[in-house]
Amino acid sequence: MMKRLTTDHRPANFSRRSLLALSGGLAATALAAPRLIAPAEASAPRLGTQAPYYYRFALGHAEINVVSDGPLPLGDPGGSFLGVPKEEVTQMLANNFLDTNNVVLEQNIPIVNMGDRLIMFDTGMGTSQLFGPTTGRLGRSLAEAGIKPEDIDAIVCSHAHIDHIGGIVGADGRPLFSKAEVWLSEADFDFWTDEAKLGSSDKAFVEHARKNLLPVRERIKFFKDGQEFLPGITAIAAPGHTVGHTMFIISSGGKSFCFMGDLTHHQVLLLERPMMEFAYDTDPKQSARTRVKLLGMLADERIPVMSYHFPWPGFGNLARAGEGFRFYAAPMNMIR
């Protein structure tokens, strides 16, 4: 049985006396050891830089490029994950060595090179800083991966929330992907571009949906549930998070995986407790039912998955665990 952890991640039964005893033992060992010359300071300066924000892997005959729009912090988990006592949510995060005060999601954007076309799934926050300054990195990530915006043939949107359609146009309102057709569910397009909703609590989401979708209206196409609307890309309706939220089976050369979009936002909270509600769901109860049903299907059929919001790069497998599920991240293969 797992030992109960406190929120600072120190085992509750690891006493101060134990720490002092360990410290004393180490000190005695140090006194008994021969005197050593102190090591020299490193001559190289700290670099303060990080690796480029992209990752590639093969899928049959296709190549998957995963780029990021940057981390998306939600803040206090009690404000977003509902229907479960806050103390329980805190304990779940602490048990998994995660920050108990600030839930940070990723924004993993797969770009699939099918050989004859380049297909990007979702586009990040764009110029909006509704969730802080760490988002809006898609353009930089594309450049690091050597992908030009004009090379994107299709943009497939899992739904029309701000962090998924926010990067279709720039700050000036002009489309950033000059030749890309845009695929979306018709239900989501109608819901999130509805001018009448500008006076509702969804105002910020509606404003950004209208800003990003209306300038490319003539290029928008609608898919239907179960339709292979592009070669190797099949839509699966997953409503609840939004009215038209959709996930996708991506297939090539006898291999496939599921891009789940926002079927589940968190690799612990909404897997261990899949009936937990999420504040940004249009219909939280329908979303929870959809989540349980489709997570069960993906786990039982052992279909590899990729999540938009799981830790980078969000690729792995699901398995049933107790009353919920567990995510097993796939090892990153850095040699190809």
Side-chain angles (χ1 to χ4, degrees), residues 101-284:
N101 298 309
N102 182 25
V103 170
V104 179
L105 307 179
E106 253 296 350
Q107 294 183 96
N108 305 308
I109 297 172
I111 301 174
V112 181
N113 190 333
M114 287 291 194
D116 61 344
R117 70 186 67 201
L118 200 58
I119 307 166
M120 180 167 67
F121 292 78
D122 292 335
T123 66
M125 289 286 296
T127 58
S128 172
Q129 294 197 345
L130 183 65
F131 293 96
T134 58
T135 64
R137 198 187 191 280
L138 175 59
R140 182 178 171 187
S141 296
L142 287 173
E144 291 172 345
I147 298 173
K148 298 177 182 178
E150 59 266 28
D151 291 337
I152 301 294
D153 296 298
I155 298 171
V156 177
C157 301
S158 60
H159 59 298
H161 271 175
I162 187 172
D163 53 325
H164 295 259
I165 50 83
I168 293 177
V169 305
D172 59 0
R174 296 181 180 180
L176 294 172
F177 303 92
S178 58
K179 68 176 185 179
E181 59 189 22
V182 178
W183 289 87
L184 180 69
S185 77
E186 188 170 10
D188 248 37
F189 177 84
D190 291 343
F191 186 95
W192 294 105
T193 60
D194 183 359
E195 188 175 6
K197 290 186 174 67
L198 288 172
S200 72
S201 58
D202 292 323
K203 178 182 177 181
F205 286 79
V206 174
E207 285 179 339
H208 284 275
R210 291 173 61 84
K211 173 187 174 183
N212 282 274
L213 295 176
L214 296 185
V216 295
R217 178 63 186 91
E218 72 283 357
R219 286 193 257 155
I220 292 179
K221 299 182 178 182
F222 301 123
F223 46 66
K224 297 185 181 299
D225 181 27
Q227 178 187 4
E228 185 179 0
F229 59 95
L230 290 170
I233 311 296
T234 301
I236 299 178
H241 180 53
T242 64
V243 292
H245 178 262
T246 305
M247 62 186 200
F248 307 96
I249 299 295
I250 301 167
S251 304
S252 174
K255 302 291 184 181
S256 64
F257 75 92
C258 178
F259 176 60
M260 298 190 294
D262 280 5
L263 180 67
T264 171
H265 288 73
H266 199 272
Q267 73 279 10
V268 173
L269 300 178
L270 294 179
L271 287 185
E272 289 186 6
R273 296 292 299 273
M275 292 302 292
M276 189 186 301
E277 297 180 5
F278 185 64
Y280 293 94
D281 288 340
T282 299
D283 185 335

